[in-house]
Amino acid sequence: MRLDWEIAKRGWRRYAAYPWATAAGVFTNTIFGFLQAYILLAVFRHRSHVGSYDAADTVTYVWLAQALIMTVYVFGWQELALRIRDGAIATDLSRPLDPQRYWLAFDLGRAPYHLLFRGVLPFAVGALVFRVHYPSPLEALAFAGSVALAVVVSLGFRFLYNAAAFWLLDIRGVMTVAITLNLFLSGMVMPLTFFPGWLRSIAHALPFASILQTPVDVWLGKHHGADLAGVLALQALWAVVLLGLGRLALRGGARRLVVQGG
Amino acid sequence: MIEVEHLTKEFVVRRGRLRRERHVVEAVRDISFHVERGELLGYLGPNGAGKSTTIKMLTGILVPSGGRVTVAGLDPSKRRVELAKRIGAMFGQRVQLWWDLPLIDSFELLRHIYRVPADRYRTSLQRFRTVLDLDPFLHTPVRQLSLGQRIRGELTAAMLHEPELLFLDEPTIGLDVVAKQRVRDFLVEINRERGVTVLLTTHDLGDIERLCERLLVIDRGSLIWDGRIGELKERYGRDRLLIVDLERPVPPLEVAGAVVERVDGPRQWLRFRGPAADLTARVAAATRLVDLQIAEPDIEEIVRRIYAGER
């Protein structure tokens, strides 16, 4: 536990070392928030609901999505893949530490940094300009838990497609597919409730919804009681499944490992 | 400390896009050797000879295709994590420290990874700070360190948990003379004073000559020499070079008991064995000599001869 805490601290510091990257990210997220908010609001000129969302839900969704974009790391992450590709994985494996445990702890240190420094400011700007929905204390608490689970699911997924590097070395192709799937099916581009019924069912059956749509819906109070417990349990299940698959991939990959670069 | 018996590693390489052909490459082929506790030995070989592959099998990162390896009484690939606590490894060309963080951050994290008790960590770090003079850059991010500083950091990182056995892959690569000397002094100290067994892979023959008593030489996957450096010189180093400066350029001299190895203008290099006086007399009889010198083969020359296949 102490070790995980120490690793997590380094995860935080690693990203805190580059404040200008953070500032640039906040700026970009804010601009995109306005863009997406005005585009989606245009839809509500002619109707009061799309799926289960009204205009306030939708605007809240937009700013939450921008606020969580780095926290749940929807875009490409290839730190593990690069270590496999350039052979640095040899260093990782020569230490008495499981690489998956390392990256999970590191990511759980990174995520709060991004939530605080990439998330709070864009959301605050959005909340000033638009009318957003605020959660009840209980919903806020559930939201915090849901975001934490989302980070683990996201890391599980990223670890898995990075592990493809054991077989492919270059994962750019795999990563492009992974990001595209994740952007659409997590609800990053558009809330899943906007999808036609059949696609919505598919999206909710996949792990991607657990990465973004679930925490957003928890904030919006779309789940109550047993239903709320159910979606959180589903997130936890996906976390376990993806981490388990990542573990298998790591074991298989390490067995066929050819360490690059001498 | 290390026991290696008939160790072999094959890699399967696939070539071609449509009809993929399988080629089996033997990176290490039937190697056997033993290393006693407290030895400091050099592991030498040209690029691609199989040095790093051997080390990766010794640390458990690669699984051998055949043969048997025991390191510190453990089978490395089966008990990698357990072994990792007792050995240290440093690869001169790789960054093992955390790139974006201050050096001290890497040390603190390694202390937790290896579960070094706080008081032992403090004494250990204090010693490295003195011996390797780390204080001026202890709080500098690793990405801003010079190569020499970084290598000193890497050595500390490999040693903080006080391993019994240390694998060093090109620890002095790219370092200037002063930095090299500092690293060498440090290695001698930990070996002599603390009894740490060191296996050193290098292309730097200065490292070998100053540090190692015993040498393993590997070429194309096979062990072609295992013995003391003195014996190596004895066996491969009996030939000497007579370097003569003549009045003017002439075709390679033909004298009994010597072979001309190289000609550069009026200077010629003659390789010979036995007393120099007789040969010098014969050369002087054949042509007019301006100057001459005799060169003993250094380790570099000897290794070149071994690689060239002179057995």
Side-chain angles (χ1 to χ4, degrees), chain B residues 35-168:
Chain B
V35 177
E36 298 294 327
R37 188 175 287 272
E39 277 195 87
L40 198 171
L41 75 163
Y43 194 37
L44 213 67
N47 292 321
K51 297 188 296 287
S52 298
T53 306
T54 315
I55 293 204
K56 280 162 197 157
M57 287 191 280
L58 293 177
T59 52
I61 297 168
L62 291 181
V63 185
S65 317
R68 211 171 57 80
V69 190
T70 314
V71 177
L74 302 171
D75 181 337
S77 63
K78 293 212 177 81
R79 298 168 79 178
R80 181 175 61 73
V81 174
E82 201 177 330
L83 182 64
K85 290 184 187 158
R86 300 175 50 184
I87 62 176
M90 184 216 142
F91 307 88
Q93 308 202 58
R94 292 192 192 289
V95 185
Q96 299 176 85
L97 303 162
W98 278 259
W99 189 247
D100 307 283
L101 300 177
L103 186 57
I104 186 76
D105 251 35
S106 288
F107 296 157
E108 300 255 331
L109 185 50
L110 286 168
R111 151 169 128 68
H112 291 287
I113 291 177
Y114 287 96
R115 300 185 193 285
V116 183
D119 51 335
R120 264 180 52 203
Y121 166 74
R122 260 196 306 278
T123 24
S124 190
L125 181 61
Q126 188 51 52
R127 204 179 67 242
F128 292 115
R129 279 166 59 178
T130 315
V131 179
L132 291 170
D133 192 16
L134 302 175
D135 285 356
F137 50 92
L138 204 54
H139 296 278
T140 310
V142 171
R143 64 189 141 86
Q144 290 173 12
L145 299 181
S146 75
L147 180 63
Q149 293 172 334
R150 206 200 81 212
I151 295 289
R152 272 138 73 196
E154 302 270 7
L155 278 171
T156 307
M159 293 288 303
L160 269 178
H161 59 291
E162 300 176 322
E164 309 156 46
L165 170 63
L166 191 57
F167 292 105
L168 298 172

Side-chain angles (χ1 to χ4, degrees), chain B:
Chain B
M1 199 70 195
I2 303 176
E3 283 171 48
V4 172
E5 311 256 9
H6 305 292
L7 184 65
T8 300
K9 178 72 190 177
E10 294 169 347
F11 290 110
V12 176
V13 181
R14 292 194 169 79
R15 292 204 192 111
R17 291 226 160 249
L18 293 174
R19 287 190 51 204
R20 307 255 280 180
E21 288 174 45
R22 290 176 83 241
H23 293 260
V24 176
V25 179
E26 276 193 309
V28 168
R29 161 178 356 173
D30 196 15
I31 284 185
S32 303
F33 62 87
H34 293 256
V35 177
E36 298 294 327
R37 188 175 287 272
E39 277 195 87
L40 198 171
L41 75 163
Y43 194 37
L44 213 67
N47 292 321
K51 297 188 296 287
S52 298
T53 306
T54 315
I55 293 204
K56 280 162 197 157
M57 287 191 280
L58 293 177
T59 52
I61 297 168
L62 291 181
V63 185
S65 317
R68 211 171 57 80
V69 190
T70 314
V71 177
L74 302 171
D75 181 337
S77 63
K78 293 212 177 81
R79 298 168 79 178
R80 181 175 61 73
V81 174
E82 201 177 330
L83 182 64
K85 290 184 187 158
R86 300 175 50 184
I87 62 176
M90 184 216 142
F91 307 88
Q93 308 202 58
R94 292 192 192 289
V95 185
Q96 299 176 85
L97 303 162
W98 278 259
W99 189 247
D100 307 283
L101 300 177
L103 186 57
I104 186 76
D105 251 35
S106 288
F107 296 157
E108 300 255 331
L109 185 50
L110 286 168
R111 151 169 128 68
H112 291 287
I113 291 177
Y114 287 96
R115 300 185 193 285
V116 183
D119 51 335
R120 264 180 52 203
Y121 166 74
R122 260 196 306 278
T123 24
S124 190
L125 181 61
Q126 188 51 52
R127 204 179 67 242
F128 292 115
R129 279 166 59 178
T130 315
V131 179
L132 291 170
D133 192 16
L134 302 175
D135 285 356
F137 50 92
L138 204 54
H139 296 278
T140 310
V142 171
R143 64 189 141 86
Q144 290 173 12
L145 299 181
S146 75
L147 180 63
Q149 293 172 334
R150 206 200 81 212
I151 295 289
R152 272 138 73 196
E154 302 270 7
L155 278 171
T156 307
M159 293 288 303
L160 269 178
H161 59 291
E162 300 176 322
E164 309 156 46
L165 170 63
L166 191 57
F167 292 105
L168 298 172
D169 194 355
E170 307 238 21
T172 60
I173 193 164
L175 296 185
D176 65 39
V177 185
V178 179
K180 254 182 203 173
Q181 195 48 50
R182 186 174 231 153
V183 168
R184 285 172 186 159
D185 290 345
F186 171 76
L187 293 179
V188 168
E189 198 216 285
I190 58 155
N191 176 249
R192 303 258 158 86
E193 313 281 312
R194 325 211 125 238
V196 177
T197 312
V198 182
L199 183 70
L200 176 72
T201 303
T202 185
H203 288 295
D204 189 313
L205 298 159
D207 287 349
I208 296 285
E209 205 142 27
R210 285 186 187 78
L211 295 174
C212 308
E213 289 190 338
R214 180 176 161 203
L215 200 58
L216 300 175
V217 182
I218 184 173
D219 190 21
R220 277 161 283 180
S222 301
L223 201 59
I224 57 175
W225 176 267
D226 176 0
R228 304 177 74 79
I229 293 203
E231 290 167 43
L232 189 74
K233 284 188 169 165
E234 184 80 6
R235 175 136 165 222
Y236 290 95
R238 275 176 302 177
D239 289 3
R240 294 187 290 174
L241 282 178
L242 177 69
I243 304 164
V244 292
D245 288 321
L246 310 172
E247 267 190 343
R248 59 181 171 284
V250 295
L253 296 170
E254 285 180 26
V255 278
V259 200
V260 175
E261 231 178 31
R262 204 178 140 201
V263 178
D264 182 8
R267 178 173 279 199
Q268 301 202 2
W269 284 257
L270 288 85
R271 197 161 140 191
F272 71 102
R273 197 171 277 190
D278 299 355
L279 178 66
T280 316
R282 283 198 292 274
V283 173
T287 177
R288 280 190 63 100
L289 265 173
V290 178
D291 199 0
L292 64 84
Q293 49 179 310
I294 292 165
E296 301 283 340
D298 55 10
I299 187 87
E300 196 150 345
E301 172 65 16
I302 292 171
V303 167
R304 196 187 61 73
R305 286 180 195 171
I306 301 178
Y307 289 172
E310 291 175 34
R311 302 286 165 93

